[in-house]
Amino acid sequence: MQVEVFEGKEEKEVLQSALESLGVDEKEVIYYFTKSKAGLLKKEVVSIHITTYDNIISYIKEYLETLTKDMGLNVTFESKVRDSQITIKMYSENNNILIGRNGQTLQALTTIVKQVVYNNIRSYPHLILDVENYKEKKVKYLERLAKNIAKEVAVTKNPVELENMNSYERRVIHNILTDNQHVYTESVGKEPDRHVVIKPKED
C-alpha cells in the first residue's frame, strides 16, 4: 500500500502540509502520527503516515483478487466511500463460495482484509465487504426479525434468545431496537456461540 510520510514540528502543521502536498481534504485520507528525536540536540520530530481512501480501495481490490483467484474464482469489484465507510461488493459466477455457510467465508474475508489494512496504516477501516447484495438482504431480514420478536416480547413479557450470530449481525439487532420503548437487547455467551437476547423492559 502506498503510504506517504511527512515530517514537521507539530501534528497540525504536518497534517496540513501533507494534505496540501497530496491535494486532498482530510475526509479523503487515513493517517497516524509517530514521534522521534533527531539531530545533535535531539529535537522532537513529528511524522505523519498518510494514505488516501482511493489507495486503500485499490490495495484491497488487488489483495482480494489474488485471494479469490487462489480459491479458483474470477471476481469483479464495485466500490464506494461514504462518510469514511468503505463498501466493496464482489461479483462472481459462484457467489455461494464467497459467501460460505451462513456468511462465514465472507466474514472471514472481511476480518483478513481489515487486519491487512491495519498492518499498513495502524487503523481498522470501517469496511463493508459484500457479495452482490447478500449483506443488504441479510440486514433487512435481521431488522424484520428483530421487530417481530420485539413485538412478541412486549406482549408476552418473556425474553427470547436469538440464534448465534457474528458481531456484525448482533450489532444490526442492537441498533434496530436501541430506541424501542418496550424491550432491550443483550449479547450473551462466548464466541462462536454468542447471541442476542431480547428482553422486556419493566413498566
Side-chain angles (χ1 to χ4, degrees), residues 148-160 182-183 198-201:
N148 289 337
I149 293 181
K151 290 178 181 178
E152 176 187 333
V153 171
V155 172
T156 65
K157 304 299 182 184
N158 294 320
V160 173
H182 307 291
V183 304
I198 300 177
K199 298 182 177 181
K201 289 182 178 179

Side-chain angles (χ1 to χ4, degrees), residues 1 25 56 72 77 93 127 144 149 164 173-174 194:
M1 186 186 298
D25 296 326
I56 294 171
F77 303 93
E93 293 180 354
L127 172 68
R144 288 197 303 270
I149 293 181
N164 297 336
I173 300 293
H174 291 310
R194 197 159 173 77

Side-chain angles (χ1 to χ4, degrees), residues 25-30 51-61 78-89 125-128:
D25 296 326
E26 188 172 352
K27 64 182 180 181
E28 299 177 69
V29 298
I30 291 182
T51 190
T52 65
Y53 278 101
D54 286 343
N55 282 333
I56 294 171
I57 289 172
S58 295
Y59 181 83
I60 291 173
K61 286 181 179 179
E78 179 184 299
S79 60
K80 67 177 180 180
V81 179
R82 183 176 181 181
D83 298 330
S84 300
Q85 176 180 287
I86 299 172
T87 301
I88 296 180
K89 290 185 179 182
H126 189 183
L127 172 68
I128 294 179

Side-chain angles (χ1 to χ4, degrees), residues 8-140:
K9 295 179 180 179
E10 299 179 354
E11 290 185 357
K12 187 176 181 180
E13 168 196 324
V14 178
L15 172 59
Q16 188 60 39
S17 175
L19 294 175
E20 290 176 0
S21 179
L22 295 174
V24 295
D25 296 326
E26 188 172 352
K27 64 182 180 181
E28 299 177 69
V29 298
I30 291 182
Y31 58 88
Y32 68 92
F33 294 103
T34 57
K35 295 180 180 180
S36 60
K37 302 288 185 178
L40 294 175
L41 299 178
K42 298 296 182 182
K43 291 186 177 180
E44 186 175 79
V45 175
V46 175
S47 299
I48 186 172
H49 305 253
I50 186 169
T51 190
T52 65
Y53 278 101
D54 286 343
N55 282 333
I56 294 171
I57 289 172
S58 295
Y59 181 83
I60 291 173
K61 286 181 179 179
E62 289 175 8
Y63 184 84
L64 283 171
E65 188 173 14
T66 300
L67 206 59
T68 53
K69 277 185 177 178
D70 291 340
M71 297 167 64
L73 299 173
N74 183 25
V75 179
T76 58
F77 303 93
E78 179 184 299
S79 60
K80 67 177 180 180
V81 179
R82 183 176 181 181
D83 298 330
S84 300
Q85 176 180 287
I86 299 172
T87 301
I88 296 180
K89 290 185 179 182
M90 299 184 289
Y91 302 84
S92 77
E93 293 180 354
N94 198 332
N95 287 336
N96 288 337
I97 293 178
L98 283 173
I99 295 169
R101 184 177 181 183
N102 295 324
Q104 290 179 347
T105 302
L106 180 58
Q107 181 64 32
L109 288 172
T110 303
T111 301
I112 292 170
V113 169
K114 283 185 176 181
Q115 186 60 51
V116 169
V117 173
Y118 177 85
N119 292 344
N120 283 271
I121 61 172
R122 297 190 185 180
S123 176
Y124 288 106
H126 189 183
L127 172 68
I128 294 179
L129 194 60
D130 203 355
V131 177
E132 210 158 311
N133 295 313
Y134 169 78
K135 271 197 172 179
E136 289 181 13
K137 293 176 181 176
K138 183 74 171 181
V139 166
K140 289 179 180 178

